[in-house]
Amino acid sequence: MEKKEEGKVPMDQSKKKKIKKIIRRIIIGVILVAIIAFIAINSIMAKNAPAIVYVTPVERDDVEQVLSTSGTVKTEEKKVYFSTMAIEIAQVNVALGDNVKKEQALLSYDADALENEKLLAQLRIEANEGSYASSISKNNEYINELGEANFNLDILELQIAYAENNIKILNKKITDKQDSLAKEGTNLQISLIDWSDEPDSEEYMELQKQIQKNSYEQQHNKEIEDWQSQIETYQETVTACKEYKAEMESQKTTSENSILDSGSKEQMSANRQIENINATEILTSIEEIENGIFADFDGVVTELNVVEGDTPMTGAQMLVLESTEKVKVEISVSKYDLEKIALGQEAEVTIAGNTYNGVVSKINGMATTNASGASVVGAEIQIKNPDSNIFLGVEAKVKINTSVAKQVLVVPIEVVNSDKEGDFVYVVEDGVLMKRSIVTGISSDSYCEVKEGLNEGDQVVSNVTVDMVEGMTVTAVSEY
């Protein structure tokens, strides 16, 4: 039987665990102290060693300045198709948003309706020409009638004057003849009185006969009767001429009132031309659309206002076609970038993953305010090689090659710093950190042109930190 050792009491499990924890903590504490001591020693050693800086050399290279922005794709050419006639639409061959090719059929009209309109237009021209010819012919008739009236009136005036003058002459002859016969009768009566004492004498008897003859002559003188007959004829002539004169005067008045004056003739001629032009335009319009409406260029249907069976009013908008052959990108340029951009600069345009060549084609002469309240100037980039993959109205990325500097001194753009005195860089000269003021030129995404302040081969610090001080000793390490 074993014996138990005297003076030893077994430990319980909980005490064993506590001891193990204490030992573990002591070990960890020793390790931490060792680490802290190592860091402290290294820090003391570092204070006495030069700082390490990374440098890059100043080199000569080409720098291309690029202005990157975005804009909206727009067409440079748009055609609005209006209805030239109120004719029923027979067929619409496109839908809103369709891409169409040049000379592709867009819509067509009802053929029977077009034929009826063509016939009506032709009849209008014929009727207009007939009416004009009739008016001119009637006017010529009035002119002829006026000429006839004026001519006849002149003749009639002469005839009337001639007849009335002859009547006057004949009346005077009759009067003179009657006076002569009366005087002769009076003388015979006086002579008869002288022979009244010898009534049976031959002289008395002869006087009696002569008195009787004279009395007969006064009543039935042949010359007087002939003259009176002539007077009646002339009076008939005067009456007939006056009646005809009245007729001619009426004809003259009617003709004068009916003949077109120069203004009326010009107006009638103008109206004729207007009517013919209108009818001809209708015929021309029919000729242009009788086979349908076709696309003037490759493009997209951006508006469609008609459907089959519609009869659009004359002048109504039917559809809008925007060209994909002539395309531009509209951009906005800030006041800071305005001095960089110029007409004719080359550009790279990216639309829906496809890249195109462009050129700055327009810069607006006035600024506008954008949604953020900033002043911007609108510009346009003309796409020189558009294709069917271009979508109007989408956003496009634009890179404009604003300027190029050939074989100039360049540094990485990230090494350039700025303060209130201007741009500067840090360089390493014989292990000493130096601050250099520089004058910069154009810059790309990676490099900046240096016009003044550096020479080719200078070592420029690339890892500038806040604790760097000019004049401190450093160890330069090349980045390359």
Side-chain angles (χ1 to χ4, degrees):
M1 184 177 176
E2 289 185 4
K3 293 183 180 179
K4 294 181 181 181
E5 295 184 7
E6 294 182 1
K8 291 184 178 180
V9 179
M11 289 188 298
D12 58 21
Q13 294 296 322
S14 63
K15 287 182 179 181
K16 289 180 178 181
K17 289 181 179 180
K18 287 181 180 179
I19 292 170
K20 288 180 179 180
K21 285 182 180 180
I22 291 170
I23 294 171
R24 190 181 298 117
R25 288 175 180 173
I26 292 170
I27 294 170
I28 292 173
V30 171
I31 294 172
L32 287 174
V33 170
I35 292 173
I36 291 171
F38 178 78
I39 293 173
I41 293 169
N42 280 327
S43 177
I44 293 169
M45 292 176 66
K47 287 181 179 179
N48 297 321
I52 297 175
V53 294
Y54 292 97
V55 294
T56 183
V58 178
E59 299 175 335
R60 288 193 178 274
D61 203 348
D62 297 341
V63 181
E64 185 174 16
Q65 182 171 265
V66 176
L67 173 61
S68 296
T69 184
S70 62
T72 304
V73 181
K74 297 287 185 69
T75 184
E76 286 192 296
E77 183 177 13
K78 179 169 72 173
K79 174 69 179 289
V80 181
Y81 292 85
F82 295 98
S83 172
T84 55
M85 302 184 67
I87 301 293
E88 181 182 341
I89 302 295
Q91 188 173 6
V92 178
N93 303 314
V94 294
L96 187 64
D98 279 359
N99 280 293
V100 299
K101 293 292 184 181
K102 183 178 181 180
E103 298 184 355
Q104 179 178 331
L106 302 175
L107 57 84
S108 59
Y109 290 92
D110 182 84
D112 292 338
L114 284 173
E115 190 61 33
N116 289 337
E117 286 295 328
K118 181 188 290 187
L119 179 60
L120 286 173
Q122 291 169 340
L123 291 175
R124 286 192 193 99
I125 292 176
E126 293 176 7
N128 185 46
E129 287 296 323
S131 175
Y132 178 78
S134 176
S135 297
I136 292 299
S137 175
K138 193 67 178 175
N139 188 62
N140 290 335
E141 288 181 10
Y142 288 130
I143 292 173
N144 292 334
E145 288 177 358
L146 177 61
E148 179 187 35
N150 286 329
F151 177 79
N152 288 338
L153 285 171
D154 290 340
I155 299 299
L156 290 170
E157 288 289 347
L158 292 174
Q159 289 178 335
I160 291 171
Y162 176 76
E164 287 180 342
N165 185 59
N166 284 336
I167 290 172
K168 184 178 179 180
I169 293 171
L170 291 171
N171 280 328
K172 187 176 186 309
K173 285 182 177 182
I174 291 172
T175 300
D176 290 346
K177 186 68 174 178
Q178 287 175 338
D179 290 345
S180 175
L181 291 173
K183 184 177 181 180
E184 181 183 354
T186 299
N187 290 333
L188 289 172
Q189 288 292 341
I190 293 172
S191 296
L192 183 64
I193 293 171
D194 290 339
W195 291 93
S196 59
D197 293 337
E198 298 179 21
D200 295 327
S201 65
E202 288 183 8
E203 286 80 0
Y204 185 85
M205 294 298 293
E206 183 63 29
L207 286 171
Q208 284 282 4
K209 290 179 181 178
Q210 289 181 5
I211 289 171
Q212 289 178 358
K213 183 180 179 181
N214 177 268
S215 177
Y216 180 82
E217 282 293 323
Q218 287 189 41
Q219 297 295 323
H220 303 289
N221 182 265
K222 178 62 175 171
E223 284 185 319
I224 292 175
E225 288 179 349
D226 289 340
W227 290 337
Q228 287 176 337
S229 177
Q230 292 179 38
I231 288 173
E232 288 178 1
T233 300
Y234 282 125
Q235 285 177 336
E236 290 175 357
T237 299
V238 169
T239 300
C241 285
K242 287 184 175 180
E243 289 177 354
Y244 193 36
K245 179 184 177 183
E247 182 181 339
M248 288 295 99
E249 286 175 342
S250 176
Q251 178 175 312
K252 178 181 179 180
T253 301
T254 300
S255 299
E256 287 178 336
N257 293 334
S258 301
I259 289 174
L260 297 172
D261 58 28
S262 59
S264 298
K265 288 182 70 175
E266 289 176 1
Q267 181 180 9
M268 186 174 70
S269 177
N271 289 336
R272 170 204 177 203
Q273 292 182 47
I274 290 171
E275 289 296 327
N276 283 351
I277 288 171
N278 290 337
T280 302
E281 285 180 348
I282 291 174
L283 291 173
T284 301
S285 297
I286 292 172
E287 184 178 349
E288 291 174 350
I289 66 175
E290 61 185 346
N291 294 321
I293 302 296
F294 299 88
D296 289 65
F297 42 74
D298 292 356
V300 178
V301 179
T302 56
E303 291 185 46
L304 185 61
N305 310 104
V306 292
V307 296
E308 293 178 5
D310 274 355
T311 303
M313 298 288 290
T314 301
Q317 179 176 306
M318 297 188 296
L319 61 87
V320 177
L321 180 65
E322 296 191 24
S323 173
T324 53
E325 296 178 343
K326 298 180 180 179
V327 186
K328 63 185 178 181
V329 178
E330 293 182 351
I331 63 173
S332 296
V333 181
S334 71
K335 60 182 180 181
Y336 305 105
D337 293 327
L338 188 57
E339 63 181 16
K340 301 176 184 177
I341 193 171
L343 293 175
Q345 290 174 337
E346 297 293 323
E348 180 184 282
V349 180
T350 302
I351 304 171
N354 298 309
T355 302
Y356 302 91
N357 297 324
V359 62
V360 179
S361 58
K362 180 181 179 182
I363 301 174
N364 291 344
M366 62 176 291
T368 58
T369 303
N370 62 14
S372 302
S375 293
V376 294
V377 173
E380 294 179 3
I381 310 300
Q382 183 185 60
I383 297 177
K384 297 193 290 185
N385 57 333
D387 58 28
S388 59
N389 294 319
I390 289 180
F391 294 89
L392 300 179
V394 301
E395 184 181 55
K397 295 180 180 179
V398 178
K399 292 183 179 180
I400 304 172
N401 301 320
T402 58
S403 59
V404 176
K406 296 287 188 178
Q407 291 302 299
V408 294
L409 295 178
V410 297
V411 294
I413 198 167
E414 64 268 14
V415 308
V416 180
N417 304 278
S418 297
D419 58 17
K420 63 182 180 180
E421 295 178 355
D423 295 331
F424 67 92
V425 295
Y426 285 109
V427 298
V428 177
E429 294 183 5
D430 299 326
V432 179
L433 187 68
M434 303 295 292
K435 181 180 177 182
R436 290 270 190 90
S437 295
I438 62 172
V439 176
T440 60
I442 66 172
S443 60
S444 66
D445 292 339
S446 303
Y447 290 93
C448 176
E449 177 190 6
V450 179
K451 292 185 174 181
E452 296 179 15
L454 291 176
N455 297 310
E456 186 175 0
D458 284 347
Q459 301 295 311
V460 182
V461 176
S462 60
N463 62 327
V464 178
T465 59
V466 293
D467 57 349
M468 287 184 176
V469 179
E470 185 178 12
M472 66 185 293
T473 301
V474 294
T475 299
V477 178
S478 177
E479 284 190 324
Y480 303 103

